[in-house]
Amino acid sequence: METGYYDLYEIVNGEFKLTAASEKLVEKRKLIPVREYFRAQSRFKILTDAQIEDIQKQIDAKWASYYKKDE
């Protein structure tokens, strides 16, 4: 999923490593807004705009740390 909502990783010998799918998102450095994913599925229509913005901020912060690790 290119929104970054889910990140795929593994821990090998205590070391964190993104899987290939998540690594591609780090290389791309452009995530699709999570709002698009939520609006496409009726199960998320209970979420308010403020909640979606909060979730987006959390996703952005998480992926910003991944971008830093890549540099």
Side-chain angles (χ1 to χ4, degrees), residues 5-66:
Y5 187 65
Y6 299 104
D7 51 331
L8 303 175
Y9 64 90
E10 55 190 11
I11 307 291
V12 178
N13 296 324
E15 186 176 330
F16 174 89
K17 180 167 176 34
L18 291 172
T19 63
S22 291
E23 274 292 324
K24 286 181 184 177
L25 290 178
V26 170
E27 291 170 9
K28 189 175 176 184
R29 292 185 182 253
K30 178 137 172 94
L31 300 174
I32 295 171
V34 75
R35 177 179 307 280
E36 291 182 27
Y37 172 70
F38 288 155
R39 294 299 180 223
Q41 298 189 40
S42 61
R43 64 186 170 144
F44 293 113
K45 68 180 172 182
I46 194 169
L47 295 175
T48 65
D49 287 339
Q51 289 171 316
I52 294 172
E53 284 179 34
D54 185 49
I55 293 167
Q56 185 67 61
K57 287 178 186 176
Q58 292 175 35
I59 291 169
D60 292 344
K62 175 176 56 176
W63 284 87
S65 71
Y66 294 160

